[in-house]
């Protein structure tokens, strides 16, 4: 046991986009800070999710930091939707440019974080038994960072290779001429499957629930190669050529537009309601969105998220597309989702449905006949044995709370976060939780986070946290934590906005429904980014009303 105790102003857990920006802000405020990161390098989700075809579903020109004009100007994205390697390169570029690595402990995992009341300090113990003390603690642990590995019977007896998309190895995985099974058909599987089909000898796709996905229609970004001072062209380029200089010339206007939109994402909005237009008009709009590609499909009409009958028209349109793309009627039928579109996060793909026309692919419906068990050579479904050289688990994450509850976090009175959240997460603004003073979460449950462009949400959270730390210092307060009353009303407000929303109408990871035994609580705030920011700003402007400052 190493008893050396280091004392910091701030400890940040995680070196993904939230951790990196937090560290940058901490350095600007001259706070003695250390970041603890489990991985061997920066990047968070983009460090781990390096499976074939991994790509962001938010446009690159939007999925990037805006706090530094320099970085914004210099960095050159190459595609409309960036690949995982390019995003990781960007994270590395930011870390290098801002000189962040010297304050990051890589290959280190936090085991526990306990608030020591007498000293008003967080005591953190890592996997090397190092003890670190700190006044403030920022959990930049990510929303999709603890993988979900279902506990399949006899999994340990399987002698083939197993890879989880969320912990894909750094070495090249050779799938050439292999018989491969993919378990799960969420976004990760939807990106992986078309990417590996040419290599494999045979691909079995084990599907429990069909997912909706729309074509990305990803393209290379174009460069004029010259600086443009102004332009009238809309920077939202889903259905036009994308010239980077034109976007950059209007970048701040573009970013403001995004921040004022529901998902902190600038995308084309149609103000019509789906059932208030003619059938012809509806089809015309859906066709155009389908051709345009990407998540703007879900903003084809204003009421798709709020009116189930309207939503059904969009769902039916996608079903008809599936049936027209997939040639085998039986397979097409198995691929049809039967719940509201957008309830599970809408995926964007390149040739996903088309891949099912390839004779190498077999779709295995495991809805009513789950995987019974693994054998040494494969797995059994409905008494049929599938021999597999490789199994790809595309089974998702213990989202939003998984990484936090994986650590032994204790607040005042030795209260554990696990205990406090036993019936679901409870936060004030998704930033803080009562009984855990000076502990901040970036994009925590109860904030818009995963329902928005994550980087915009991250910057907003980090800015709010550092304004708060500055305020505490300037006003000589030692601690901040939310009042129980205000936390309760935030939790109730979250519940009420989620109640009738389409997002909470099916079993999704937003609801914790993918993890056995996890309380079913809709975790992200679904009231929209602008509304949320307004609330956060009101609170800070009112001397942190709703918080107890000591
Ligand atoms: P998702 O979207 O949670 O998908 C996981 C998939 O794995 C989904 O199809 C699940 O079926 C399936 N799954 C999970 N557990 C099992 C078991 N026990 N048996 C069979 N199938 C199972 O994770 P992704 O990694 O694809 O995407 C996560 C997010 O990353 C995504 O939303 C984007 O934001 C990026 P189910 O639907 O639960 O029936």
């Amino acid at each position: 046991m190493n008893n050396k105790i280091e004392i910091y102003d701030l400890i940040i857990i995680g070196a993904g986009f939230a951790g990196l920006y937090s560290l940058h802000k901490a350095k600007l405020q001259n706070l003695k800070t250390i970041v603890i990161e489990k991985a061997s390098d920066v990047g968070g989700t983009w460090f781990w999710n390096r499976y074939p075809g991994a790509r962001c579903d938010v446009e690159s020109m939007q999925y990037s930091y805006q706090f530094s004009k320099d970085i914004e100007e210099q960095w050159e994205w190459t595609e409309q939707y960036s690949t995982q390697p390019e995003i990781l390169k960007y994270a590395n570029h930011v870390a290098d440019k801002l000189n962040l690595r010297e304050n990051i402990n890589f290959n280190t995992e936090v085991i526990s974080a306990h608030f020591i009341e007498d000293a008003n300090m967080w005591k953190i113990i890592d996997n090397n038994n190092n003890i670190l003390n700190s006044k403030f603690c920022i959990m930049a642990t990510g929303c999709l960072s603890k993988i979900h590995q279902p506990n399949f019977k006899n999994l340990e007896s399987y002698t083939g290779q197993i890879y989880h998309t969320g912990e894909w190895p750094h070495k090249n995985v050779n799938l050439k001429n292999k018989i491969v099974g993919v378990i799960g058909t969420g976004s990760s599987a939807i990106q992986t499957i078309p990417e590996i089909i040419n290599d494999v000898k045979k691909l079995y796709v084990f599907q429990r629930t069909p997912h909706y996905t729309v074509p990305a229609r990803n393209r290379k970004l174009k460069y004029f190669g010259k600086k443009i001072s102004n332009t009238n062209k809309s920077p939202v380029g889903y259905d036009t050529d994308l010239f980077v200089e034109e976007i950059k010339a209007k970048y701040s206007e573009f970013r403001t537009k995004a921040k004022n939109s529901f998902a902190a994402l600038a995308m084309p909005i149609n103000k019509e309601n789906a059932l208030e237009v003619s059938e012809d008009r509806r089809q015309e709009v859906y066709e155009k969105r389908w051709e345009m590609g990407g998540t703007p499909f879900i903003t084809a009409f204003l009421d798709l998220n709020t009116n189930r009958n309207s939503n059904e028209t969009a769902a039916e349109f996608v079903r008809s597309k599936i049936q027209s793309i997939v040639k085998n009627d039986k397979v097409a039928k198995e691929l049809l989702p039967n719940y509201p579109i957008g309830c599970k996060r809408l995926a964007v793909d390149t040739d996903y449905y088309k891949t099912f026309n390839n004779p190498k692919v077999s779709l295995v419906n495991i809805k009513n006949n789950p995987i019974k068990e693994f054998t040494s050579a494969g797995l059994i479904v409905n008494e049929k044995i599938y021999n597999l050289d490789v199994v790809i688990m595309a089974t998702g994450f213990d989202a939003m709370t998984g990484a936090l509850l994986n650590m032994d976090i204790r607040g005042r009175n030795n209260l554990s976060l696990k205990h406090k959240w036993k019936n679901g997460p409870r936060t004030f603004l998704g930033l803080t939780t009562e009984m855990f003073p000076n502990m901040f979460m970036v994009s925590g449950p109860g904030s818009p986070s995963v329902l928005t462009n994550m980087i915009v949400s991250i910057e907003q959270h980090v800015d709010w946290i550092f304004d708060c730390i500055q305020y505490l210092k300037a006003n000589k307060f030692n601690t901040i934590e939310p009042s129980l009353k205000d936390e309760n009303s935030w939790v109730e407000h979250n519940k009420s906005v989620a109640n009738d929303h389409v997002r909470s109408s099916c079993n999704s990871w937003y609801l914790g429904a993918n993890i056995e035994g996890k309380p079913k609580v809709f975790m992200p705030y679904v009231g929209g980014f602008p509304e949320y920011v307004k609330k956060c700003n009101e609170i800070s402007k009112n001397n942190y009303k709703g918080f107890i400052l000591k």
Side-chain angles (χ1 to χ4, degrees), residues 144 148 150 184-188 208-209 344-345 366 394-397 509:
L144 297 166
H148 167 50
T185 48
S187 179
S188 302
R208 186 163 71 181
T209 314
K344 288 172 188 272
R345 187 178 169 112
I366 54 170
T395 43
F397 300 88
W509 57 258

Side-chain angles (χ1 to χ4, degrees), residues 100-364:
L100 299 179
R101 285 176 206 281
E102 60 192 19
N103 295 77
I104 307 176
N105 274 356
F106 292 109
N107 301 305
T108 309
E109 203 172 338
V110 170
I111 303 300
S112 64
H114 292 182
F115 186 70
I116 311 299
E117 253 179 298
D118 298 343
N120 283 333
M121 279 278 170
W122 280 93
K123 177 183 168 192
I124 279 140
I125 303 184
D126 70 21
N127 59 330
N128 300 313
N129 275 329
N130 288 317
I131 301 173
L132 303 90
N133 281 356
S134 175
K135 180 162 183 182
F136 297 103
C137 185
I138 295 183
M139 301 294 177
T141 42
C143 295
L144 297 166
S145 38
K146 181 166 187 256
I147 61 162
H148 167 50
Q149 168 60 78
N151 199 7
F152 294 113
K153 191 174 166 199
N154 291 335
L155 182 61
E156 67 293 344
S157 68
Y158 176 62
T159 55
Q161 292 159 292
I162 302 181
Y163 302 106
H164 194 289
T165 48
E167 279 184 2
W168 199 261
H170 289 217
K171 65 177 177 41
N172 207 8
V173 175
N174 184 6
L175 299 175
K176 271 232 168 334
N177 293 322
K178 299 265 168 67
I179 303 175
V180 177
V182 173
I183 302 177
T185 48
S187 179
S188 302
I190 286 169
Q191 291 187 330
T192 304
I193 287 167
E195 197 71 22
I196 62 174
I197 190 63
N198 288 333
D199 276 356
V200 302
K201 181 170 163 191
K202 174 82 201 161
L203 182 66
Y204 292 101
V205 177
F206 297 95
Q207 173 188 270
R208 186 163 71 181
T209 314
H211 213 93
Y212 291 96
T213 172
V214 296
R217 311 222 186 271
N218 180 44
R219 315 162 261 175
K220 292 269 181 226
L221 291 170
K222 295 187 179 174
Y223 286 81
F224 289 125
K226 60 183 178 195
K227 206 169 166 68
I228 292 179
S229 56
N230 208 354
T231 166
N232 288 325
K233 194 164 165 186
S234 160
V236 181
Y238 290 96
D239 56 352
T240 55
D241 271 346
L242 295 163
F243 284 97
V244 172
E245 293 91 339
E246 286 188 315
I247 299 172
K248 285 191 175 174
K250 293 178 90 178
Y251 227 158
S252 61
E253 194 185 310
F254 179 29
R255 299 290 206 176
T256 305
K257 184 176 174 186
K259 281 189 203 162
N260 288 328
S261 71
F262 195 85
L265 193 58
M267 53 167 123
I269 305 280
N270 175 14
K271 293 212 166 129
E272 292 168 306
N273 287 324
L275 293 177
E276 288 168 8
V277 298
S278 68
E279 174 66 22
D280 283 354
R281 169 72 186 146
R282 253 196 318 271
Q283 290 307 308
E284 183 198 359
V285 172
Y286 288 138
E287 279 296 349
K288 185 153 190 281
R289 295 280 167 147
W290 185 264
E291 283 316 309
M292 190 188 283
T295 47
F297 186 83
I298 212 64
T299 55
F301 289 100
L302 206 55
D303 60 346
L304 296 183
N305 273 332
T306 47
N307 181 328
R308 294 297 153 80
N309 295 331
S310 296
N311 183 286
E312 178 55 22
T313 64
E316 193 47 35
F317 177 86
V318 176
R319 289 185 207 118
S320 72
K321 285 290 179 195
I322 299 170
Q323 282 166 311
S324 71
I325 298 167
V326 179
K327 293 191 179 122
N328 180 316
D329 288 348
K330 191 169 166 285
V331 177
K333 218 168 150 204
E334 303 273 21
L335 287 167
L336 301 183
N338 65 357
Y339 51 89
I341 186 167
C343 175
K344 288 172 188 272
R345 187 178 169 112
L346 181 66
V348 299
D349 71 276
T350 301
D351 293 340
Y352 177 66
Y353 293 123
K354 209 169 121 190
T355 307
F356 288 88
N357 293 333
N358 190 318
K360 286 203 259 180
V361 185
S362 292
L363 181 66
V364 185

Side-chain angles (χ1 to χ4, degrees), residues 317-494:
F317 177 86
V318 176
R319 289 185 207 118
S320 72
K321 285 290 179 195
I322 299 170
Q323 282 166 311
S324 71
I325 298 167
V326 179
K327 293 191 179 122
N328 180 316
D329 288 348
K330 191 169 166 285
V331 177
K333 218 168 150 204
E334 303 273 21
L335 287 167
L336 301 183
N338 65 357
Y339 51 89
I341 186 167
C343 175
K344 288 172 188 272
R345 187 178 169 112
L346 181 66
V348 299
D349 71 276
T350 301
D351 293 340
Y352 177 66
Y353 293 123
K354 209 169 121 190
T355 307
F356 288 88
N357 293 333
N358 190 318
K360 286 203 259 180
V361 185
S362 292
L363 181 66
V364 185
N365 185 339
I366 54 170
K367 179 83 187 165
N368 299 321
N369 290 298
I371 293 169
K372 186 177 167 201
E373 62 181 320
F374 272 73
T375 66
S376 63
L379 55 83
I380 302 176
V381 174
N382 204 12
E383 305 312 322
K384 186 170 170 191
I385 300 171
Y386 295 86
N387 287 335
L388 305 166
D389 300 318
V390 178
V391 170
I392 297 177
M393 301 280 181
T395 43
F397 300 88
D398 182 353
M400 302 207 72
T401 55
L404 288 166
L405 298 181
N406 204 31
M407 297 176 278
D408 174 23
I409 302 177
R410 286 169 193 266
R412 287 193 294 107
N413 296 346
N414 205 30
L415 175 69
S416 79
L417 192 63
K418 267 192 198 92
H419 183 76
K420 175 168 176 184
W421 286 7
K422 64 180 190 303
N423 296 323
R426 304 184 68 81
T427 71
F428 186 39
L429 306 171
L431 276 159
T432 55
T433 184
E434 178 253 354
M435 295 293 280
F436 295 78
N438 293 358
M439 182 185 101
F440 300 99
M441 291 164 277
V442 183
S443 52
S447 76
S449 61
V450 288
L451 301 180
T452 63
N453 178 355
M454 277 300 282
I455 301 204
V456 178
S457 275
I458 283 171
E459 284 190 75
Q460 184 266 339
H461 262 195
V462 172
D463 288 341
W464 191 95
I465 292 168
F466 281 88
D467 285 351
C468 175
I469 291 177
Q470 221 164 20
Y471 176 90
L472 296 178
K473 201 172 165 192
N475 292 283
K476 301 197 166 47
F477 288 115
N478 273 324
T479 61
I480 181 165
E481 71 176 285
S483 78
L484 182 58
K485 178 174 151 277
D486 286 83
E487 178 168 298
N488 285 343
S489 44
W490 184 248
V491 170
E492 285 314 308
H493 174 57
N494 267 266

Side-chain angles (χ1 to χ4, degrees), residues 397-402 509 511-520 523:
F397 300 88
D398 182 353
M400 302 207 72
T401 55
W509 57 258
L511 201 60
N514 60 331
I515 306 291
E516 218 177 304
K518 188 165 173 170
K520 278 197 181 182
M523 294 180 286

